[in-house]
Amino acid sequence: MKGRVFIIGLGLIGGSLALCIKKEHKEAIVIGYDIHKEEARRAKMLGVIDEVCHHFVEEASIADLIIISTPVNESEKLISILSAVSLKQGVIITDTGSTKGKIAIKSTELLNKGIAFIGGHPMAGSHKSGITAAKEILFENAFYLLTPDESLDQSKIAILQEWLKGTKAKFLTVTPDNHDFVTGIVSHFPHVIAASLVHQAEKLSKTQTLIPRLAAGGFRDITRIASSSPEMWRDITIHNRAVLLELLEKWKDEMGHIHDMVEQRDGDGIYRYFQKAKQFRDGLPSGTKGAIPAFYDLFVDVPDYPGVISEITGYLASEKISITNIRILETREEIYGVLVISFQTEEDRLRAVRCIGTKTDYPISIDE
């Protein structure tokens, strides 16, 4: 497709969308704008965008596609600004925010002027942020939720999906309310719970000094999402306030049920509780991306001698396998330590298994 694509916000999501569009639509011109001018300059230098936007209103007025990839509070402000601009006939505007209810209400300012706005939420992410973390493969096999107004011409949705074809994502159309309820359950609420677990551990660590050391293993992994951007999650929590309040009430009931079983020493009930949770969790899809970024971790039991980490990373580098994180679990006291290596994709992790498995006899495991 030909045309000008104007991306507002050049972080991980905006930058990755730019790369996908540039790869799929060679004749398109991708222009980027970011409130942090250095990020926009870096995006141009890295080839993520074709041009840096220097005049916001002017660029918006000639764009064929406008993608708002900013925190949800900023997206609301930008929709108001764009509604006051004389935009090109046939332009499509979309966003990438994690909540859709308030955005849908705000978008009526555009829809009432005959401007096509389609809410969007690519359900993919990374533990890294910024333009340097942008990747073409970020959205591959991920769900990309669209929340168009019911009055919108269906052809506009098809055009947007064509623009975003290079993401190789799975598009689903839902209502804004349904979006916010479902993502509240599988994404927003888990972030609240993860943060609360960390807060509890931090408070108790003041008297129990072993907690930080022992939390370096599984606890650190299950609360990894608590390391996400506080600014972003502040906005999401406020925007999805009604859903989160409802879920918090349900959570109180859930914790009350567990409390009663423990208090009553109800062994059979506790067993059934964990068994039912295991069955449902084990039945969840494992080969597709969901609302929370997947953790492609590899656990390698390595002997404790100088240079063992550089040995392993050297093998991976020789096969051009990129890693996103590396650490050692410090909770083991025996001679072997567990080296945890994180990867961007499942393919990279499987390549690493083959690589390390053929070059060493160190035990390797993958936790599902």
Side-chain angles (χ1 to χ4, degrees), residues 1 17 23 46 51 79 86 100 126 157 237 279 301 360-361:
M1 295 177 69
L17 286 174
K23 182 179 180 180
L46 294 172
E51 299 176 11
I79 289 172
S86 179
K100 296 270 82 82
S126 170
I157 302 173
T237 301
Q279 289 176 344
D301 279 359
T360 76
D361 59 357

Side-chain angles (χ1 to χ4, degrees), residues 331-344:
T331 56
R332 296 163 63 94
E333 297 181 356
E334 58 267 33
I335 189 170
Y336 279 77
V338 177
L339 182 66
V340 186
I341 311 172
S342 302
F343 301 90
Q344 179 71 32

Side-chain angles (χ1 to χ4, degrees), residues 121-252:
H121 179 195
M123 299 183 75
S126 170
H127 309 299
K128 294 185 177 182
S129 59
I131 194 64
T132 56
K135 293 181 179 294
E136 292 175 4
I137 63 171
L138 183 66
F139 312 106
E140 189 171 334
N141 295 321
F143 288 109
Y144 201 125
L145 304 185
L146 299 177
T147 59
D149 186 84
E150 58 183 13
S151 65
L152 189 74
D153 184 342
Q154 293 294 306
S155 66
K156 297 294 186 180
I157 302 173
I159 293 172
L160 177 60
Q161 290 182 1
E162 183 61 28
W163 272 118
L164 300 175
K165 184 178 179 181
T167 63
K168 297 182 180 178
K170 302 174 182 178
F171 293 99
L172 292 176
T173 299
V174 296
T175 67
D177 287 345
N178 188 233
H179 169 280
D180 286 356
F181 188 72
V182 172
T183 56
I185 295 170
V186 300
S187 176
H188 306 166
F189 190 65
H191 278 80
V192 173
I193 297 303
S196 69
L197 290 173
V198 173
H199 274 285
Q200 178 172 267
E202 188 272 334
K203 291 174 183 175
L204 296 176
S205 69
K206 293 174 182 177
T207 55
Q208 300 292 327
T209 57
L210 269 178
I211 287 176
R213 184 178 177 186
L214 298 181
F219 181 85
R220 190 176 188 274
D221 287 338
I222 65 174
T223 58
R224 190 184 316 201
I225 56 177
S227 292
S228 301
S229 164
E231 293 83 5
M232 179 179 73
W233 283 101
R234 174 199 61 200
D235 293 351
I236 289 173
T237 301
I238 293 172
H239 267 242
N240 211 16
R241 174 178 173 273
V243 169
L244 285 174
L245 287 174
E246 179 181 347
L247 293 174
L248 282 167
E249 288 301 319
K250 293 180 184 297
W251 184 253
K252 289 179 184 178

